[in-house]
Amino acid sequence: MTKICFISDTHGTHLGLQLPDADILVHCGDFSSHGTYMDALKFVNWFGAQPHKHKIFIAGNHDLYFEQGNPSDIAVFLQQLPPDVHYLQDSGIELEGITFWGSPVQPRFFNWAFNRDRGADIKKHWDLIPYKTDVLITHGPAYARCDESPSVGRFSDVNWLERTGCKDLLDAIKQVKPKIHAFGHIHYAYGHTFSENVHHFNASICNEGYVPNNKPFLVEINGHKVETIHYF
């Protein structure tokens, strides 16, 4: 059996986190506060120092350096990652017999990093997800899977909840059928849902006010069985 800890959307608050013991630590993006090189360097130094045997991370819409930085500088940065730290960008890795696939893209939201238009522009990323993926890591949620966010009504000042997830991502998940889909991005929708034999974890640590009030998720995979461990 393998234990995996999922976190996301720490936005520079990672130094204060209390993480459970696990074999693999996964960060689903938005580790930056301002999206700078120094943000990325500070995060990777912290991430690499964690005691977990393996560490995986993807970028998010706030992690601007990984999309807008000089490509050659980014390549050097990634080459210098510790051997137990793995960055995924429309790519995958197998660890402890578990296959992971990660992508930082999410439906367009203002003008942040890794924004893609809904439809063909974003679908081409989801088409890359291999069918043998056990754990899918994206920054944003699939449609109707822990994706509700407060919105102001068009003709009033009344707040209501709207679905922000990606329908094309949901279609891909229904085809690939991973055991787990881990993500963040929508702080308000932190939580877990189980649908069509897939566990969806919105692991956003920060709440809507960017205060790190939420807890990491600790998950145990034993063959085809997935169990959420509430350690807190």
Side-chain angles (χ1 to χ4, degrees):
M1 73 187 83
T2 302
K3 290 182 179 180
I4 308 175
C5 175
F6 294 103
I7 58 176
S8 188
D9 292 80
T10 49
H11 293 285
T13 66
H14 45 266
L15 292 177
L17 288 185
Q18 293 184 348
L19 301 175
D21 292 333
D23 302 291
I24 303 171
L25 174 62
V26 175
H27 196 298
C28 306
D30 273 8
F31 44 81
S32 298
S33 54
H34 299 96
T36 65
Y37 163 78
M38 287 306 300
D39 278 342
L41 181 61
K42 289 177 182 178
F43 167 75
V44 166
N45 286 341
W46 170 83
F47 200 58
Q50 299 311 299
H52 307 79
K53 183 178 180 182
H54 308 286
K55 277 84 74 172
I56 301 172
F57 75 102
I58 66 171
N61 60 297
H62 279 258
D63 304 317
L64 300 165
Y65 173 73
F66 285 87
E67 184 173 53
Q68 300 178 6
N70 183 292
S72 60
D73 292 341
I74 296 171
V76 171
F77 182 92
L78 295 176
Q79 289 170 1
Q80 295 176 344
L81 292 176
D84 58 352
V85 174
H86 309 280
Y87 174 70
L88 301 183
Q89 184 173 321
D90 287 328
S91 58
I93 192 170
E94 181 175 336
L95 299 170
E96 304 294 326
I98 299 170
T99 53
F100 296 82
W101 184 267
S103 177
V105 305
Q106 78 282 158
R108 188 166 300 282
F109 181 72
F110 294 107
N111 190 29
W112 296 92
F114 299 104
N115 280 189
R116 302 293 185 267
D117 292 327
R118 295 178 188 268
D121 191 37
I122 199 167
K123 182 179 182 296
K124 63 186 179 184
H125 293 273
W126 309 143
D127 288 343
L128 298 173
I129 304 170
Y131 275 88
K132 292 185 178 181
T133 299
D134 295 313
V135 179
L136 174 62
I137 309 162
T138 64
H139 183 56
Y143 183 78
R145 303 294 186 268
C146 296
D147 71 333
E148 288 188 320
S149 179
S151 180
V152 177
R154 184 179 299 177
F155 302 110
S156 73
D157 293 329
V158 177
N159 285 336
W160 56 289
L161 297 179
E162 66 173 335
R163 296 289 187 187
T164 61
C166 180
K167 291 183 178 179
D168 288 308
L169 176 56
L170 180 60
D171 288 342
I173 289 171
K174 288 180 178 180
Q175 293 181 38
V176 174
K177 298 182 176 70
K179 296 181 178 70
I180 292 171
H181 175 216
F183 53 94
H185 189 43
I186 307 301
H187 300 187
Y188 182 88
Y190 165 83
H192 164 255
T193 188
F194 181 68
S195 178
E196 299 177 303
N197 292 317
V198 179
H199 290 268
H200 298 264
F201 294 96
N202 182 330
S204 298
I205 296 299
C206 286
N207 63 16
E208 284 287 285
Y210 288 80
V211 178
N213 282 347
N214 298 326
K215 301 292 185 180
F217 282 105
L218 182 60
V219 175
E220 185 176 88
I221 296 182
N222 188 0
H224 292 289
K225 184 179 179 181
V226 176
E227 181 180 355
T228 304
I229 303 170
H230 296 284
Y231 69 97
F232 49 87

